[in-house]
Amino acid sequence: MKTIIRNVAFGLLGASVAAASVAGPAEDRAAFQKFYENRFPDTPVDDFKNGVYSILPAAREQWESIEEFPPYELAIERGEEIYNKTFANGKSLKDCFGEDGAVRSEYPHWNKERGMVMTMELAVNECLEANGEKPLKYKKGAMADVTAYMSYNSRGQMVNVEIPADDPRALAAYENGKEHFYTKRGQLNFACADCHMHTAGMMYRADTTSPAFGHATSWPVFRSKWQAMGTLHRRFAGCHNNIRANPYKAQGEEYRNLEYFVTYMSNGLEFNGPAARK
Amino acid sequence: MNQGMKALVLGLALSAPLAVAGNGTTAEHIEAATAAYKQLAKDTGYQWTVTVKAIKAAQKALKEGDDAGARKLAHQAMDLVEATRKQAKIESETWQMRVPK
């Protein structure tokens, strides 16, 4: 009798393990989004694009009044100038990204020829370099400005990242980003998922953590703490520093794969950058 | 940091094997810690900021003639590398638990 029960139990276990191991990105995303919808039933799904303000009614009002006179407005203006500036060779960023640079929803994407994740920031620098211009620093300054302009013009586009099934390397990059998100790192032994998933909405020092659903939608941001604009990879590095993990290189493979995973998890939300943050 | 976290961090640090304390010059001990740090980063991608800090502090102490202090810091760095290695191993085996199904 006992053996039978055990066999049945093992059988069940075997079945659930098998089911788990075939779960691909689409199943991951459904479970990921469901997690947040269950955890924050009062948040309309399309509002997760607003970061911590999607779950913090108390801070929402002040944030909305900040967004009325947004601190990133000057960055958009500076970005527009950079965008339209004529290169020494007579071309400009327009030759790479069109009249207004509204290409936000094209990134990040899997580049099959090169076998790597392409991000918007990387594409901007490659355009500059291909035209004999100097590349920009990835975390702040002119890069944040020009991507603020491009994101602003892209507002309302939907996040729709693809993991092409015909290239196993794309899935590997996704899996790499996924593993990064769920593994504990740094001397303080935290995973992104610890703060931004399993304890999302709780306080860490003076800050409430945002849901990771929506994490990639609103970049770059003007952060009061920085008193300046910063890119997504700047934020990744900040979170790593806080847990005493050495940050990785902005736009290096590790962070690009992490962005690929995180953005894919937000498929179906709107891109709404740039944004203001505490 | 909450208490549970503190205990865990302490646990990782304490359970790290003691670095060999005897042979070699202090400069060699610092070099060994640096090499171990780099090798681990290459193997696993895991790096702690505190390890880099301990290595830099050891180099500084040595330069200032504080051999005993420098040696102690080098051993601290080595212990941190070991704790990091442990973290990387545990995580590679358990991270799937955190993925919602």
Side-chain angles (χ1 to χ4, degrees):
Chain A
M1 175 63 188
K2 268 196 182 144
T3 344
I4 294 175
I5 292 177
R6 215 180 285 138
N7 282 345
V8 171
F10 262 107
L12 283 175
L13 194 68
S16 73
V17 167
S21 59
V22 297
E27 290 81 6
D28 285 354
R29 190 182 66 224
F32 182 96
Q33 298 190 354
K34 194 90 210 133
F35 176 93
Y36 292 98
E37 288 167 28
N38 290 338
R39 165 71 64 103
F40 303 105
D42 295 337
T43 301
V45 174
D46 62 1
D47 202 58
F48 280 107
K49 63 176 187 267
N50 291 318
V52 77
Y53 307 104
S54 67
I55 58 162
L56 262 195
R60 178 100 183 190
E61 205 175 313
Q62 193 196 359
W63 171 70
E64 279 175 354
S65 73
I66 291 172
E67 287 275 347
E68 274 172 36
F69 301 97
Y72 47 78
E73 214 156 45
L74 286 172
I76 296 174
E77 283 171 23
R78 287 191 303 266
E80 181 171 11
E81 268 175 43
I82 298 168
Y83 193 81
N84 291 319
K85 199 176 148 229
T86 309
F87 301 150
N89 68 1
K91 295 193 170 179
S92 75
L93 285 169
K94 287 191 221 176
D95 290 282
C96 297
F97 304 105
E99 196 52 38
D100 60 357
V103 296
R104 183 58 267 195
S105 64
E106 291 172 27
Y107 301 93
H109 69 247
W110 180 252
N111 181 312
K112 194 169 178 185
E113 291 71 51
R114 296 162 67 185
M116 63 184 275
V117 173
M118 271 310 286
T119 63
M120 193 159 89
E121 290 82 358
L122 199 58
V124 165
N125 264 357
E126 291 193 348
C127 175
L128 290 171
E129 288 186 287
N131 286 290
E133 299 289 309
K134 263 209 196 131
L136 304 172
K137 292 220 169 89
Y138 281 123
K139 288 198 202 162
K140 49 190 171 181
M143 179 61 83
D145 292 345
V146 75
T147 53
Y149 172 74
M150 294 165 77
S151 293
Y152 184 73
N153 289 342
S154 310
R155 276 188 176 180
Q157 292 178 359
M158 305 304 276
V159 183
N160 186 23
V161 176
E162 284 174 32
I163 320 285
D166 64 348
D167 190 342
R169 294 171 305 169
L171 185 62
Y174 164 87
E175 288 289 343
N176 177 231
K178 175 179 164 186
E179 179 169 351
H180 193 120
F181 184 82
Y182 290 106
T183 46
K184 291 180 185 286
R185 284 154 194 266
Q187 191 190 28
L188 301 191
N189 204 37
F190 274 106
C192 312
D194 289 333
C195 289
H196 291 294
M197 177 171 237
H198 299 294
T199 66
M202 284 166 50
M203 296 278 284
Y204 285 86
R205 297 204 191 121
D207 293 310
T208 305
T209 50
S210 51
F213 183 24
H215 256 179
T217 57
S218 51
W219 297 87
V221 306
F222 183 95
R223 219 182 145 201
S224 324
K225 189 184 152 202
W226 296 331
Q227 277 300 305
M229 301 293 294
T231 59
L232 179 61
H233 291 199
R234 181 178 183 187
R235 182 75 235 204
F236 286 170
C239 283
H240 271 141
N241 260 317
N242 287 343
I243 55 174
R244 299 188 193 155
N246 253 16
Y248 294 83
K249 229 174 109 200
Q251 296 303 329
E253 189 178 15
E254 193 80 20
Y255 277 174
R256 277 185 290 109
N257 290 350
L258 183 59
E259 177 175 343
Y260 194 42
F261 168 76
V262 171
T263 315
Y264 180 79
M265 287 295 112
S266 289
N267 271 6
L269 294 179
E270 238 175 55
F271 277 111
N272 62 337
R277 291 288 186 269
K278 199 173 120 192
Chain B
M1 206 189 339
N2 67 35
Q3 287 306 319
M5 221 54 241
K6 249 181 218 158
L8 190 56
V9 171
L10 202 64
L12 277 175
L14 288 181
S15 63
L18 290 174
V20 265
N23 309 321
T25 65
T26 297
E28 281 164 0
H29 284 228
I30 297 174
E31 250 168 56
T34 310
Y37 173 82
K38 286 189 181 153
Q39 187 59 45
L40 179 68
K42 222 172 119 191
D43 294 345
T44 67
Y46 282 59
Q47 294 168 285
W48 293 0
T49 52
V50 278
T51 318
V52 182
K53 279 188 188 148
I55 290 170
K56 286 198 174 139
Q59 287 163 339
K60 183 159 175 271
L62 186 65
K63 216 185 241 165
E64 288 166 357
D66 176 9
D67 193 85
R71 186 170 280 242
K72 204 170 146 204
L73 285 161
H75 295 171
Q76 249 173 37
M78 193 59 112
D79 288 349
L80 288 166
V81 170
E82 277 316 313
T84 311
R85 186 180 294 285
K86 223 164 239 181
Q87 178 186 51
K89 180 160 190 306
I90 293 169
E91 287 309 301
S92 71
E93 291 159 0
T94 59
W95 69 271
Q96 296 271 8
M97 284 181 345
R98 265 168 240 125
V99 183
K101 297 269 152 48

